[in-house]
Amino acid sequence: MKLVNLVQHGYEALLLTPSIYREYKKDIKVSLLGESSSLNENAERYFRTIKYGFLPKLVAGYLGIKSFDILTDREKSFDTDRLEIGKHSITLVSLNNKADIIIDKKLKSVKEKGDVLRKLFSIMFEGKDIIESQDLDYISANAHALSFYNNYTRPKSNLANVYDLLIKCTLKQVSVSDMDEALENAEIRGATYMGIFIAMTEDVTKIEDERRERAIRHFGSYAQLLDDLEDIDDDREEEMNTFPVLFLKYYGDSPANRRKIKETMLERARINLKKGIDLLESVKSQEDLIAFADFAVLIHLVYEKIVK
């Protein structure tokens, strides 16, 4: 079975099961906004299966598909537009992951990181400037970028604008020194990352919905804040100036300061989550809230250790 079909059928089987919706959706707000820490046992078991047992590529396709569902209010098992979004999401998220490995672990200076990101940008949108390297991560990044250039047949200007902003946010993560700016940059990075799926959906369907788009961006900010909190020690080692890293740098590393960081990040994350939920409720679409529940529970379980 083709990978794009695995994305479709694998997640339809686990995430779009009506019984999970019935058991979980009534508690979606209280569980994720911190008023209750309990998840339905059966639903949690399904989502843990995804977390530990499924290929990351499936998660990538899933993010694109669920963003498509929220933006379009269309949820059809064999919708060709939906499958196209899932397929390209796999390519782009795989590319982003490889780019993160390269700039976080293999390069130090802002200039080096920027040069690599801009070369990958040139491959994606112009089909040129392949990075010469025998390193497997570079080879893989080249391949994903070139695959996107060759296979994404829609106009690429919307996505080019998103990636241009994403590069700026990523480089700012290295150079920023103000804690408030670092916190704001995390929200912008997360929102911009979800802009990838928004741009593809608009390119494929020509559908635009400002409230739904804002909701998805808030969910991206929510996830990025949790990611920065979870990655505090890795980011510190890699000299990434996230809010937690800067807080420890300026005030010292102690259990009390780590608790303060956690409280700040979780509160900011929950604010973004609530804004996203409120926007979807204003649209008055139960289907949107269900699609969001799938996305939000997955994020919640990925970061369950830090949200408790």
Side-chain angles (χ1 to χ4, degrees):
M1 183 179 288
K2 292 182 179 180
L3 185 57
V4 68
N5 290 331
L6 284 175
V7 170
Q8 185 69 32
H9 296 294
Y11 278 95
E12 295 296 335
L14 287 177
L15 291 177
L16 303 183
T17 303
S19 61
I20 297 178
Y21 289 154
R22 287 195 298 271
E23 293 169 349
Y24 184 75
K25 66 184 179 183
K26 62 180 179 297
D27 297 322
I28 179 68
K29 290 180 68 174
V30 294
S31 294
L32 292 176
L33 292 176
E35 298 167 28
S36 168
S37 60
S38 63
L39 293 172
N40 177 277
E41 183 178 347
N42 291 330
E44 187 169 359
R45 188 182 308 120
Y46 279 113
F47 287 107
R48 286 184 191 280
T49 302
I50 295 165
K51 178 180 176 183
Y52 297 113
F54 276 76
L55 293 172
K57 286 184 177 180
L58 293 183
V59 176
Y62 165 80
L63 283 173
I65 284 174
K66 298 319 295 181
S67 297
F68 175 92
D69 290 345
I70 291 173
L71 287 166
T72 64
D73 221 6
R74 291 157 54 185
E75 195 169 308
K76 302 175 184 177
S77 295
F78 298 99
D79 189 311
T80 56
D81 291 342
R82 195 168 183 252
L83 292 176
E84 181 179 349
I85 295 295
K87 179 182 69 174
H88 293 308
S89 296
I90 291 170
T91 300
L92 292 179
V93 174
S94 299
L95 169 60
N96 294 343
N97 289 342
K98 287 299 178 183
D100 283 345
I101 290 172
I102 292 169
I103 66 171
D104 290 351
K105 300 185 182 300
K106 301 187 177 186
L107 301 172
K108 288 294 183 183
S109 74
V110 176
K111 183 181 184 306
E112 288 178 317
K113 296 174 189 286
D115 287 345
V116 165
L117 291 175
R118 291 186 185 96
K119 284 184 179 179
L120 290 173
F121 181 94
S122 294
I123 301 169
M124 292 173 64
F125 297 106
E126 300 171 19
K128 63 181 184 181
D129 293 340
I130 298 295
I131 301 172
E132 299 293 338
S133 175
Q134 298 302 311
D135 183 283
L136 290 178
D137 288 319
Y138 282 92
I139 292 171
S140 178
N142 280 332
H144 286 305
L146 195 58
S147 174
F148 172 77
Y149 175 77
N150 289 328
N151 293 300
Y152 192 78
T153 58
R154 312 282 178 166
K156 296 182 175 68
S157 59
N158 283 342
L159 272 169
N161 291 334
V162 172
Y163 269 91
D164 182 60
L165 180 56
L166 195 57
I167 289 172
K168 292 175 182 175
C169 295
T170 302
L171 296 178
K172 186 172 183 178
Q173 187 181 218
V174 184
S175 61
V176 68
S177 58
D178 181 84
M179 289 192 298
D180 289 337
E181 284 187 39
L183 199 56
E184 182 180 10
N185 190 53
E187 291 178 316
I188 295 172
R189 277 188 291 129
T192 304
Y193 195 91
M194 296 306 290
I196 294 170
F197 310 117
I198 293 171
M200 282 196 294
T201 298
E202 289 181 358
D203 288 345
V204 170
T205 66
K206 309 304 179 187
I207 293 174
E208 296 184 34
D209 189 303
E210 189 264 343
R211 280 187 293 182
R212 288 183 169 97
E213 289 179 10
R214 284 168 53 206
I216 290 175
R217 292 184 191 279
H218 280 301
F219 302 152
S221 297
Y222 165 72
Q224 186 61 59
L225 288 162
L226 296 183
D227 189 68
D228 283 359
L229 180 56
E230 183 180 60
D231 289 347
I232 180 171
D233 291 315
D234 287 341
D235 287 338
R236 198 179 186 187
E237 182 180 343
E238 294 159 5
E239 300 179 3
M240 295 292 174
N241 290 335
T242 61
F243 173 83
V245 171
L246 290 174
F247 194 100
L248 294 182
K249 179 180 178 180
Y250 296 147
Y251 296 104
D253 190 349
S254 68
N257 282 341
R258 286 187 177 244
R259 283 195 298 273
K260 289 179 182 177
I261 291 169
K262 181 175 180 177
E263 290 168 2
T264 300
M265 299 291 279
L266 290 184
E267 178 60 24
R268 192 83 166 228
R270 286 170 182 147
I271 288 171
N272 276 283
L273 180 66
K274 186 176 186 306
K275 286 180 178 179
I277 293 174
D278 288 346
L279 282 164
L280 288 189
E281 288 187 328
S282 73
V283 178
K284 301 186 184 304
S285 169
Q286 186 64 34
E287 289 74 18
D288 284 344
L289 288 171
I290 290 173
F292 161 67
D294 292 336
F295 169 75
V297 175
L298 181 61
I299 296 298
H300 181 79
L301 289 174
V302 167
Y303 300 108
E304 62 183 326
K305 290 182 180 178
I306 63 172
V307 299
K308 287 183 177 178

